[in-house]
Amino acid sequence: MSKPNLETRLRRLRLAHMATHLEAQHTDSLAQKHSYLEFLELLVDGELAARDTKAMGKRIQRAAFPVAKTLEEFDFNFQPKLDVKLVKSLATSKYIEDRENVLLVGQPGTGKTHLAIALGMKAIELGYDVRFTTIQHLAAKLRSALADSTSEERIAEFTEPDLVILDELGFTPLDRLLADAFYRIIATRYERGSIIITSNKSFESWAEVFPDAVIASAVLDRLVHHAHLVPIVGESYRMKEIRSRRKGGEGQKQSA
């Protein structure tokens, strides 16, 4: 009985990238006069790179970002009061290693969600498991879970990852049941896992979001302990774009 060829044996070992690129790398290594060890090293490096890329793709998919945003795309010049040094320090994801939180606070349209997603992407690049959700989507999932008695599973989705991003706290008030579930997520992650929260409300106004000041205080107390506060005081990107479009339209009318 004939022995399967090398490509087949590599696939049986789940070395798909090496199997796919075996012949091409062999041809290139002959042309470059690589040693046997260099040839093998190039194949192994390619396999590892392919696996890393695949694993990162899966982490991005699990994170459930609404859009792709990077720190490199963020216009720091538009928000001159933003602490750029702090943001770039957070991009190292050391706060995750230290189980610290990040609180991005500012008016709508100032780039909070962009920064939150971008920091999440940096964490994924470093191998961390990340989950993203808006408070509104989390509330909808928790309401559904309370109805079919799967709330424990839903809460676990946001207590197990290395980093959880909760976007848009403050746009919608939480009722008692949702506030209690939200508190459980925060309390369970306290000093065990990192959270990024974006909010359009100052801390003094958080009582407006929760059904009473006691829960608001308990949540805030656990979040701000070991936290990096990133206030964003500036103009809305969306309002800037609207004004630009209006100016462009006025210019066209005048030329006409």
Side-chain angles (χ1 to χ4, degrees):
M1 184 176 177
S2 61
K3 186 187 293 186
N5 63 30
L6 181 55
E7 181 180 338
T8 301
R9 281 177 281 168
L10 287 171
R11 292 191 185 280
R12 285 185 62 189
L13 290 169
R14 300 184 184 279
L15 299 171
H17 187 273
M18 289 178 69
T20 300
H21 295 84
L22 178 64
E23 286 301 325
Q25 186 58 63
H26 181 231
T27 301
D28 183 66
S29 288
L30 286 174
Q32 300 294 329
K33 295 183 169 54
H34 292 150
S35 67
Y36 294 128
L37 189 58
E38 287 172 327
F39 166 61
L40 178 59
E41 187 176 20
L42 288 165
L43 279 176
V44 170
D45 286 347
E47 180 70 36
L48 288 172
R51 290 189 179 197
D52 286 344
T53 299
K54 185 177 181 180
M56 190 169 84
K58 287 182 177 179
R59 289 195 299 276
I60 291 172
Q61 188 176 26
R62 285 198 303 270
F65 295 128
V67 290
K69 296 287 185 182
T70 67
L71 204 57
E72 291 72 23
E73 294 169 338
F74 191 83
D75 185 1
F76 287 100
N77 293 325
F78 188 71
Q79 301 294 4
K81 295 181 180 178
L82 183 62
D83 189 340
V84 179
K85 185 177 179 182
L86 173 58
V87 172
K88 292 188 175 180
S89 171
L90 292 171
T92 66
S93 296
K94 189 177 185 302
Y95 68 96
I96 300 177
E97 181 185 335
D98 296 337
R99 297 177 176 82
E100 296 171 340
N101 302 320
V102 177
L103 307 177
L104 298 158
V105 181
Q107 291 302 306
T110 51
K112 301 184 300 296
T113 300
H114 185 144
L115 283 177
I117 294 173
L119 291 175
M121 283 295 298
K122 290 293 185 184
I124 285 174
E125 289 171 11
L126 292 170
Y128 289 109
D129 191 24
V130 178
R131 293 294 183 281
F132 176 99
T133 185
T134 63
I135 297 297
Q136 292 79 8
H137 189 210
L138 175 63
K141 292 181 81 171
L142 289 173
R143 283 195 187 94
S144 175
L146 289 167
D148 61 15
S149 302
T150 58
S151 57
E152 294 302 318
E153 290 87 341
R154 289 301 185 190
I155 289 172
E157 287 181 30
F158 298 98
T159 57
E160 294 171 359
D162 302 308
L163 172 64
V164 166
I165 302 173
L166 303 175
D167 192 32
E168 297 182 346
L169 178 67
F171 283 94
T172 305
L174 303 177
D175 62 30
R176 172 67 62 179
L177 285 174
L178 294 174
D180 287 344
F182 184 82
Y183 170 75
R184 283 183 59 194
I185 293 172
I186 303 301
T188 302
R189 295 189 64 82
Y190 177 60
E191 295 188 330
R192 295 175 188 163
S194 296
I195 301 172
I196 293 178
I197 284 189
T198 75
S199 180
N200 65 322
K201 300 280 189 184
S202 64
F203 295 152
E204 294 78 10
S205 302
W206 278 29
E208 301 170 9
V209 181
F210 295 90
D212 61 57
V214 175
I215 295 181
S217 178
V219 168
L220 189 58
D221 181 64
R222 284 161 178 77
L223 283 173
V224 300
H225 192 214
H226 313 305
H228 300 272
L229 174 61
V230 185
I232 307 177
V233 181
E235 192 180 3
S236 164
Y237 286 98
R238 289 187 282 273
M239 292 305 296
K240 177 191 175 185
E241 289 176 358
I242 289 170
R243 283 198 303 273
S244 296
R245 286 198 294 269
R246 284 177 179 170
K247 286 180 181 178
E250 289 172 1
Q252 288 175 359
K253 286 179 182 178
Q254 288 174 3
S255 2

